[in-house]
Amino acid sequence: MKIAVLGGSFNPFHIGHAMLADRLVDELHYDKVLIVPACNPPHKKLSAQIDAEHRLAMIQAFCESEKRGCFIPESCEIDRGGTSYTCDTLEHLTQKYKDKLEGKLAFVMGDEVAAEFHKWKNPEKVSELADLIITRRYPEINILKETQFHNNPSGSYNGDFKEAFDLNAFKYPCIYLEEPLLPVSSTEIRTRIAENKSFKYLVPGAVYDYILNHKLYLQ
């Protein structure tokens, strides 16, 4: 079985994430996509500190609504607690799926994240444990304008889109998806909800219903 790992804060999970998961199955022919919400990302402080369980529950709602069986919510980082390091997650998932896994796991990240991959905890181990898939992203609008809805970088990280990604300088083997993700951002969605603006078609239907039912991201 070919398995891809799609990690992130998913704050909230939106149609860009869903479209990427779909591409992994339909275009790259992965059998399963494990969607892994981070507990505490090491590279940023999350805006809108809703409980991690809500972020996981939104992913669960999406996966259940799809009925395809190829999208799987994976709670290991939240279950583990603390700072979420990808090398630890990939080691855990490799062991968990060792009897089903064909080859290595694949690990998926946007190029704005890959630009600072060298700063991660043990990037060599990440590359050894997984085939890296990097996807191009549109920069978030007004990313340099700091508001209460933006995530703030932590430690030595400069933050999303503030460091350019150079595929030729990326020293780890990878697959680069030239076609960019849909230009949707979680920051934009959080902002629209707080300002009482429409956001219905920026997230999957099951996620939209969950946000409304639990009154998430309101001021």
Side-chain angles (χ1 to χ4, degrees), residues 89-207:
T89 297
L90 292 175
E91 195 168 48
H92 167 78
L93 293 175
T94 299
Q95 181 65 24
K96 180 176 179 178
Y97 288 94
K98 64 180 181 180
D99 296 330
K100 301 178 180 179
L101 185 60
E102 176 187 331
K104 294 195 292 186
L105 295 167
F107 179 73
V108 189
M109 56 183 158
D111 60 2
E112 87 288 2
V113 175
E116 300 191 82
F117 181 71
H118 60 285
K119 299 178 183 178
W120 287 25
K121 177 184 176 181
N122 209 338
E124 289 79 11
K125 184 177 179 181
V126 173
S127 180
E128 289 172 5
L129 288 169
D131 296 318
L132 302 181
I133 299 175
I134 300 173
T135 184
R136 190 157 67 90
R137 287 195 62 194
Y138 290 106
E140 290 188 19
I141 298 172
N142 297 326
I143 190 66
L144 298 178
K145 179 183 177 183
E146 294 186 4
T147 74
Q148 61 180 309
F149 307 112
H150 281 79
N151 298 314
N152 294 313
S154 298
S156 64
Y157 292 93
N158 293 319
D160 293 351
F161 304 103
K162 293 180 183 177
E163 193 164 316
F165 176 68
D166 183 349
L167 179 60
N168 293 323
F170 192 76
K171 67 178 184 178
Y172 304 94
C174 68
I175 296 170
Y176 187 62
L177 303 181
E178 288 283 353
E179 183 181 341
L181 290 181
L182 296 176
V184 180
S185 78
S186 296
T187 301
E188 174 189 4
I189 294 166
R190 293 193 301 271
T191 303
R192 296 187 70 83
I193 295 171
E195 294 177 351
N196 198 30
K197 294 180 179 178
S198 173
F199 71 100
K200 183 174 182 178
Y201 299 108
L202 298 176
V203 296
V207 174

Side-chain angles (χ1 to χ4, degrees), residues 38-41 77-78 80-85:
C39 184
N40 295 310
E77 292 191 354
I78 291 174
R80 189 164 65 235
T83 303
S84 301
Y85 293 111

Side-chain angles (χ1 to χ4, degrees), residues 49-61:
Q49 283 284 10
I50 65 170
D51 291 342
E53 286 72 18
H54 279 308
R55 293 187 286 112
L56 174 61
M58 284 187 275
I59 293 166
Q60 290 171 329

